[in-house]
Amino acid sequence: AQSVSQHNHHVILSEAASLELGCNYSYGGTVNLFWYVQYPGQHLQLLLKYFSGDPLVKGIKGFEAEFIKSKFSFNLRKPSVQWSDTAEYFCASGGSQGNLIFGKGTKLSVKP
Amino acid sequence: NAGVTQTPKFQVLKTGQSMTLQCAQDMNHEYMSWYRQDPGMGLRLIHYSVGAGITDQGEVPNGYNVSRSTTEDFPLRLLSAAPSQTSVYFCASSYVTESTEAFFGQGTRLTVV
């Protein structure tokens, strides 16, 4: 079965620190990868997505992710985090049922 | 531009009670789905639908029923609530391809006592 694993359960950073959140997926045929963000008390919002082409994908709010096929990875990065980036981040892969297969999520806490 | 609308936002049920979580979308998406979110578990698929009249089970379907009589609506029914169904429920919709993003509702926080 397809699966997505996220390496970190909880990451704590100071403002201006660089961020990298790990994500590995199991290959299920077509590669469709997503990063979603969930701010406290809110629903999930799409940060960025990758289907094909340039493996470095830029998303909203200064986030980017790099697809590395040989490593089955799709890590999320941001050069300098802000307090407002405090949220939970979910990596997801498109499933064969048309659904999304989510990782367990990584909570990011940014200290001002 | 409403997107995906879920009601209610909060609900407390007693064990054994039944209820329906409502979900509606105005984007003419064929695909709709229900997830539950539990701490440390990510989101898990309960049921999904690829169009009106077509539904199927996801990863954790037990204790839930769905139907899809229109493109816009996809209600989730809890037949006899159990404490294990305490969770946050999200409805999502998208076009029927693997390569499109899903749009999520605001969620329903359900507590079963």
Side-chain angles (χ1 to χ4, degrees):
Chain A
Q2 283 179 266
S3 65
V4 174
S5 61
Q6 292 184 239
H7 306 163
N8 309 98
H9 176 62
H10 193 182
V11 173
I12 302 172
L13 295 173
S14 297
E15 274 194 317
S18 64
L19 169 72
E20 181 161 3
L21 302 182
C23 172
N24 286 94
Y25 66 96
S26 63
Y27 183 63
T30 306
V31 172
N32 297 293
L33 298 167
F34 307 82
W35 275 100
Y36 281 84
V37 61
Q38 186 180 31
Y39 297 105
Q42 296 192 24
H43 64 295
L44 279 77
Q45 302 170 43
L46 183 70
L47 272 180
L48 47 80
K49 58 188 177 184
Y50 173 79
F51 305 135
S52 62
D54 188 342
L56 187 60
V57 181
K58 294 196 182 299
I60 60 171
K61 304 188 181 188
F63 287 91
E64 64 180 29
E66 185 175 14
F67 168 64
I68 302 179
K69 186 176 180 180
S70 61
K71 296 184 178 180
F72 297 95
S73 70
F74 189 56
N75 292 355
L76 181 70
R77 299 195 293 244
K78 186 171 184 179
S80 175
V81 294
Q82 301 171 320
W83 177 78
S84 57
D85 292 323
T86 294
E88 190 159 15
Y89 293 81
F90 292 93
C91 182
S93 172
S96 58
Q97 297 173 315
N99 59 310
L100 290 170
I101 298 167
F102 285 91
K104 295 190 188 307
T106 298
K107 286 186 180 177
L108 172 65
S109 299
V110 180
K111 298 184 291 185
Chain B
N1 187 8
V4 179
T5 303
Q6 282 183 242
T7 55
K9 287 191 175 180
F10 302 94
Q11 183 71 49
V12 178
L13 288 179
K14 293 182 179 178
T15 297
Q17 285 186 314
S18 62
M19 81 159 293
T20 300
L21 308 185
Q22 302 290 346
C23 176
Q25 53 94 7
D26 61 359
M27 296 172 281
N28 203 31
H29 287 161
E30 305 97 335
Y31 188 94
M32 295 184 74
S33 53
W34 278 101
Y35 293 87
R36 59 177 288 172
Q37 182 182 26
D38 301 292
M41 302 288 287
L43 281 82
R44 294 179 292 170
L45 182 67
I46 304 172
H47 284 286
Y48 67 98
S49 168
V50 298
I54 306 169
T55 64
D56 208 343
Q57 297 181 349
E59 181 184 357
V60 288
N62 292 339
Y64 307 95
N65 260 359
V66 291
S67 60
R68 184 96 178 268
S69 56
T70 67
T71 300
E72 294 79 18
D73 300 299
F74 190 46
L76 177 72
R77 296 184 191 83
L78 279 71
L79 308 172
S80 177
S84 61
Q85 293 179 303
T86 294
S87 187
V88 181
Y89 292 84
F90 287 99
C91 178
S93 75
S94 64
Y95 293 109
V96 185
T97 70
E98 289 181 356
S99 61
T100 56
E101 72 175 277
F103 293 83
F104 286 83
Q106 295 283 344
T108 296
R109 185 172 294 274
L110 175 68
T111 302
V112 183
V113 298

